[in-house]
Amino acid sequence: MTKVLLTFFLGLFSFLVFMFVGETAGLPAAFAALSAYFFVCQFFLSRNHPDAHRKDWRIMLLLDGVMLVSVLIMVSVEKWDVILSQGPGMLLSTCGGTYAGAVVASVTAKRTAARP
């Protein structure tokens, strides 16, 4: 239960990361910061789990949930030029960073378990 709450609060904090970095440094920096943030969060949430990229889908969706809902709200409210300039980058950086973090955590766990 604590892992679920931690994941939810990390997902909420991701929106603040996107807004603050996006406003101060621009969209490319915001997308890079989101990728790095989700990578680190998912890596620490899935460490020591050799099949994290296959079996931690609930955690991954919960972590990405705030940004996914933000994209859905953006699609329903904003104009198409804003959606096309921010939506794909947000989806790619959040989902890509999260999945990459799970894959690296899985590979690290497998290597640790294979050591004699």
Side-chain angles (χ1 to χ4, degrees), residues 21-101:
V21 175
E23 288 293 325
T24 57
L27 283 178
F31 297 147
L34 274 181
S35 294
Y37 176 78
F38 281 109
F39 178 86
V40 170
C41 288
Q42 187 61 42
F43 178 78
F44 284 116
L45 287 169
S46 294
R47 67 177 182 255
N48 299 328
H49 190 221
D51 290 330
H53 63 288
R54 289 187 218 140
K55 295 186 179 178
D56 274 353
W57 283 103
R58 291 183 189 134
I59 296 295
M60 287 190 253
L61 285 176
L62 186 60
L63 183 62
D64 292 346
V66 172
M67 295 308 288
L68 296 175
V69 169
S70 298
V71 170
L72 290 175
I73 292 171
M74 181 174 53
V75 166
S76 66
V77 173
E78 292 289 340
K79 296 179 180 162
W80 278 107
D81 58 341
V82 175
I83 294 168
L84 293 176
S85 67
Q86 294 179 6
M90 287 172 69
L91 289 175
L92 183 65
S93 61
T94 57
C95 297
T98 301
Y99 189 72

